[in-house]
Amino acid sequence: LSEEAFAINYERAANYLNTRDRLYVFDGYAGWDKRYRIKVRVVCARAYHALFMNNMLIRPTAEELETYGEPDFTILNAGQFPANRFTKGMTSNTSVAISFERRQMVILGTEYAGEMKKGVFTVMHYLMPKAGVLSLHSSCNEGPDGDVSLFFGLSGTGKTTLSADPARWLIGDDEHVWTDTGVFNIEGGCYAKTIDLSAEKEPEIFNAIKFGSVLENVIYDQQSRLVDFADKSITENTRCAYPIEYIPNVKLPCIGGSPKNIVLLTCDAFGVLPPVAKLTPAQAMYHFISGYTAKIAGTEEGVTEPEATFSACFGQPFLVWHPVKYAQMLAQKMQEHDVSVWLVNTGWNGGRYGVGKRISLKYSRAIIDAIHSGELQQADYATYGVFNLQIPKQVTGVPDKVLDPSLAWEGSAQEFSDTIAKLARLFQTNFKEYADKATADIIAAGPQL
């Protein structure tokens, strides 16, 4: 977008906001580590948007507000008002634009509150590597012994669900920065998917939905005010934004040491990736740069059948630098701290989507427990062909058959080899985009046909 087009959008948003009888302003912080945090001001016309960012940013104390001063970044949310499609560079009525030079973000033509959250994340994805620290699209928790785990994954892979573990302290569910001293959360809240939410399956998230939380896109009974979490008549992308302290086992301030384990989460709808594999450093880089998952109905409009999707560094829409820059920074951190990296598939097993079954949350939790207990460090491994992955022969609480997709497969052997070859080719095609900046050992760590 040209400077001029951004200025027109800003003017349009400011003019709209100036016509409102009431505006809402919220001043907060992004980043729990005071060395790196930025001050963010949100100006909007809807109480809902202000409350959402009050939940998602870090809330200043009364003393901090006294000395808050000028913000480092300002969000103008005029989402009720459309962008002008005749402005040069505009292709629709919706525009979410960031100017690093003006330190401003302008929203027109969309009232989806998540745009502000991800806008702040994009700003941090630019500023943090510039400051020599690594911004990550990941959730993070800490064990009783102080061991920290990072979970990377796109929407629907289980990032928020698997990091909310009653036996561990939650540092954050979505956005973190890895510094020379450890990891800190960027946000002061969580943004959880609530489709089919229940107190039995996800008690921490279910109980965080109370006064002050913001529920989006859900259907509720007007009389009893009870929410029907199974109702997807508006969209499957139903959500809740709540302050992080609504989770009982949150670690405050949201800061931890350097990670011991990194889990790359994927939701494979082809049914051929193993529920868990131990990755070499080169494989870790390959799968981090690839950022594979399958889009399943829910997060994006128009997706009814699952389709393979690749999102570099598990957060491509928010990256500002080249994906390899983030990957190289991650490789350096992993080497310095001797981190174990795991690929965990929370998708299908026994066959592709529609034929096989989604791997049960109980099994995924058992796998994560085995990583944290150290069981998987000691396990016996087998080599899983084509993707050349090391898969454990046994994991406590998971049937052996489930661990090897070729054994779990309910169709013919030919169908299995055709399906795994199809997925391998999709990986190879996608990686061509990054091959010029990747080293030979990273390229060789991908699937081989």
Side-chain angles (χ1 to χ4, degrees), residues 154-228:
L154 300 169
S155 186
T157 55
K159 196 159 72 322
T160 301
T161 303
L162 291 171
S163 58
D165 181 335
R168 293 171 70 82
W169 298 102
L170 180 73
I171 292 173
D173 81 324
D174 197 45
E175 306 173 5
H176 290 85
V177 175
W178 193 346
T179 70
D180 52 345
T181 55
V183 178
F184 69 84
N185 187 356
I186 290 173
E187 301 183 296
C190 299
Y191 194 34
K193 291 182 91 165
T194 58
I195 192 73
D196 294 325
L197 182 69
S198 70
E200 296 73 48
K201 278 198 300 192
E202 298 173 69
E204 291 83 11
I205 295 169
F206 187 86
N207 293 325
I209 299 176
K210 54 188 181 186
F211 184 79
S213 297
V214 177
L215 277 167
E216 293 179 312
N217 301 333
V218 298
I219 305 294
Y220 69 99
D221 184 292
Q222 301 281 344
Q223 260 65 49
S224 68
R225 304 185 78 78
L226 288 174
V227 176
D228 181 358

Side-chain angles (χ1 to χ4, degrees), residues 239-285:
R239 293 210 177 235
C240 183
Y242 48 86
I244 199 156
E245 58 269 23
Y246 280 19
I247 293 279
N249 53 331
V250 66
K251 186 182 182 203
L252 291 170
C254 303
I255 298 173
S258 284
K260 186 177 169 188
N261 289 293
I262 290 177
V263 178
L264 305 181
L265 293 165
T266 183
C267 172
D268 173 36
F270 291 89
V272 293
L273 283 186
V276 61
K278 192 175 197 308
L279 302 181
T280 65
Q283 284 176 330
M285 288 302 91

Side-chain angles (χ1 to χ4, degrees), residues 27 29 113 133 414 422:
D27 286 348
Y29 299 111
V133 292
Q414 185 59 47
K422 180 182 176 182

